[in-house]
Amino acid sequence: MKNDKKVAARAALTKYIEENNCRKTTERFALLDAMYDIDGLFTIEELAERMAVQNFHVSRATLYNSLNLFVKLCLVVKHRFQTETKYEACCDTSNHCYQTCTICGKVTEIDLPEIAKVLYNVRLKRFRREYYSLYFYGVCQTCQARSKRKKNLKGTKKSNIDKNE
Ligand SMILES: [Zn+2]
């Protein structure tokens, strides 16, 4: 399944390169493969690290240019979060819903059939829709537990002061 997507993405890139007489660089295909091997979302730094581990050194400029091209070709989805930008290899231009933690930045994809149904029926004026990405911002369970522990700690200190008074 995943390999099918990679093959489709490679085919789309080859088609674009041929039609636009671009140079067929091995870097671009190596980047595309690396992205489709990543499970879920990644930052540009994570992608660079992954390439370096494979002994494939790509310049920052090539990374940015390639990513922008992949976004344009709908082979990669760009997510702009509050704290950073993440990418996701996805060539099906389907709809996605995410929950993102405003404290640690963790992003999880969620399945919300009831929301999907509502959005499917939304009519947009003078606009041909292709797909949507929906983000819920909030605090993940781990961060909630962490802040609760902090509060409790403060609470104990405060009650000690109260006792001394
Ligand atoms: Zn969190």
Side-chain angles (χ1 to χ4, degrees):
M1 181 71 184
K2 196 151 191 191
N3 248 349
D4 287 354
K5 283 186 181 174
K6 204 198 263 182
V7 171
R10 274 180 153 263
L13 180 60
T14 307
K15 187 170 171 262
Y16 173 85
I17 287 172
E18 282 169 5
E19 280 173 3
N20 293 278
N21 296 319
C22 302
R23 275 190 310 130
K24 201 172 174 178
T25 62
T26 44
E27 277 116 336
R28 274 188 186 157
F29 285 94
L31 275 170
L32 196 67
D33 283 346
M35 285 189 286
Y36 274 81
D37 286 338
I38 298 174
D39 221 8
L41 285 77
F42 56 89
T43 61
I44 205 156
E45 286 75 25
E46 283 162 356
L47 180 62
E49 271 168 36
R50 218 181 157 100
M51 298 301 288
V53 167
Q54 293 173 12
N55 255 329
F56 216 108
H57 296 278
V58 188
S59 73
R60 274 290 134 129
T62 307
L63 261 179
Y64 278 102
N65 290 342
S66 303
L67 276 168
N68 284 338
L69 174 66
F70 298 158
V71 170
K72 192 177 132 191
L73 296 176
C74 294
L75 303 176
V76 167
V77 179
K78 188 175 186 174
H79 302 277
R80 288 181 190 86
F81 295 117
Q82 272 177 325
T83 48
E84 62 192 340
T85 300
K86 286 191 177 186
Y87 296 87
E88 184 183 15
C90 168
C91 62
D92 55 359
T93 59
S94 52
N95 306 317
H96 294 277
C97 295
Y98 305 90
Q99 52 190 27
T100 156
C101 178
T102 49
I103 297 174
C104 68
K106 188 181 169 199
V107 181
T108 345
E109 185 162 0
I110 44 172
D111 191 25
L112 298 169
E114 64 275 25
I115 302 271
K117 208 171 153 188
V118 171
L119 290 177
Y120 178 79
N121 291 316
V122 169
R123 291 176 70 175
L124 301 168
K125 277 184 191 161
R126 296 176 196 199
F127 191 80
R128 180 176 53 97
R129 62 196 275 166
E130 287 172 347
Y131 63 95
Y132 66 80
S133 293
L134 181 69
Y135 302 94
F136 285 94
Y137 291 95
V139 182
C140 77
Q141 209 171 19
T142 315
C143 291
Q144 279 181 54
R146 203 171 287 151
S147 80
K148 208 171 175 183
R149 250 179 279 139
K150 260 189 207 162
K151 260 185 211 155
N152 283 344
L153 218 63
K154 268 186 203 160
T156 359
K157 273 182 198 158
K158 196 176 178 290
S159 56
N160 282 343
I161 298 164
D162 289 345
K163 263 182 236 160
N164 291 340
E165 275 175 357

